[in-house]
Amino acid sequence: SQQGEEDPQALSIQEGENATMNCSYKTSINNLQWYRQNSGRGLVHLILIRSNEREKHSGRLRVTLDTSKKSSSLLITASRAADTASYFCATGEGGGFKTIFGAGTRLFVKA
Amino acid sequence: NAGVTQTPKFQVLKTGQSMTLQCAQDMNHEYMSWYRQDPGMGLRLIHYSVGAGITDQGEVPNGYNVSRSTTEDFPLRLLSAAPSQTSVYFCASSSTTSGTMNTQYFGPGTRLTVL
């Protein structure tokens, strides 16, 4: 089962544009995490947002969380070619330790 | 700190062989986990542990065993390898707060091919 499902599956934009990715989940959560994965590499943590938070920023990244809609979005502003990667959301199923990842959004930023 | 380390980086097995993928972390994290990632897909949880002596099944546990005798190490054993287990395997660790997992730190992965 896919707890976190990202949308869109793939996104291609020009350098300097903003990129928005969405994630939906099914059960209650304690927090939601976003990760980046460059091709063939391990995952790098971007942002963790707790269930009592609505928005969080880190540099050019902005994450929102709507627990009533069971959804989150990741916004990357002023994108760079180096942002080209796959982006995944992850949640703990039922607020526990059983982490479920979505299938990811593949972002391609053209220079 | 080395963070999360995994060995080996690459492995080729024949069907029916067994092997152990090693994972170690030096951050004194309570939570450790194993995932597999198939091409073009997200990560799927195989097994996880919330402390030494405590393990539990994830989404896809069949064909894999784990144990957690120390806080630092969390090996994953393939009992009898099958071609369907060809994948990239990632180990991760995390601290916990009030029964909730925090940021997960991932190892570099082990690329396993079963012929």
Side-chain angles (χ1 to χ4, degrees), chain A residues 1-2 30-31 33 35 37 40-45 48 50 88 90 92 95-104 106, chain B residues 31 35 37 40-45 48 50 57-59 90 96-97 99-108 111:
Chain A
S1 63
Q2 290 286 339
N30 285 326
N31 62 56
Q33 303 170 29
Y35 293 87
Q37 184 180 37
R41 304 281 184 92
L43 276 74
V44 173
H45 178 259
L48 180 153
R50 302 201 183 275
F88 298 92
F97 292 106
K98 200 168 180 176
T99 306
I100 305 293
F101 277 80
R106 275 161 282 284
Chain B
Y31 179 90
Y35 298 88
Q37 185 178 32
M41 295 181 66
L43 278 68
R44 289 185 292 169
L45 182 66
Y48 65 97
V50 297
Q57 295 182 348
E59 197 179 354
F90 290 100
T96 61
T97 304
T100 301
M101 194 167 49
N102 296 322
T103 297
Q104 291 192 67
Y105 295 86
F106 283 82
R111 191 173 295 272

Side-chain angles (χ1 to χ4, degrees), chain B residues 10-60:
Chain B
F10 300 94
Q11 182 70 49
V12 179
L13 293 177
K14 293 181 181 176
T15 297
Q17 286 184 315
S18 62
M19 80 159 294
T20 299
L21 307 186
Q22 301 292 344
C23 175
Q25 52 93 7
D26 61 0
M27 297 172 281
N28 202 33
H29 285 166
E30 305 93 333
Y31 179 90
M32 294 186 74
S33 54
W34 277 102
Y35 298 88
R36 60 176 287 173
Q37 185 178 32
D38 299 319
M41 295 181 66
L43 278 68
R44 289 185 292 169
L45 182 66
I46 303 172
H47 286 284
Y48 65 97
S49 167
V50 297
I54 306 169
T55 63
D56 207 345
Q57 295 182 348
E59 197 179 354
V60 288

Side-chain angles (χ1 to χ4, degrees), chain A residues 37-93:
Chain A
Q37 184 180 37
N38 291 90
S39 181
R41 304 281 184 92
L43 276 74
V44 173
H45 178 259
L46 296 176
I47 287 185
L48 180 153
I49 185 166
R50 302 201 183 275
S51 59
N52 61 353
E53 297 175 310
R54 290 298 165 256
E55 190 170 309
K56 205 160 182 181
H57 297 254
S58 177
R60 293 184 296 113
L61 306 180
R62 172 176 166 253
V63 167
T64 61
L65 178 66
D66 187 336
T67 52
S68 67
K69 294 181 180 176
K70 292 188 168 58
S71 68
S72 174
S73 67
L74 169 67
L75 168 67
I76 304 174
T77 60
S79 62
R80 305 166 182 168
D83 295 327
T84 294
S86 291
Y87 293 82
F88 298 92
C89 69
T91 59
E93 190 177 71

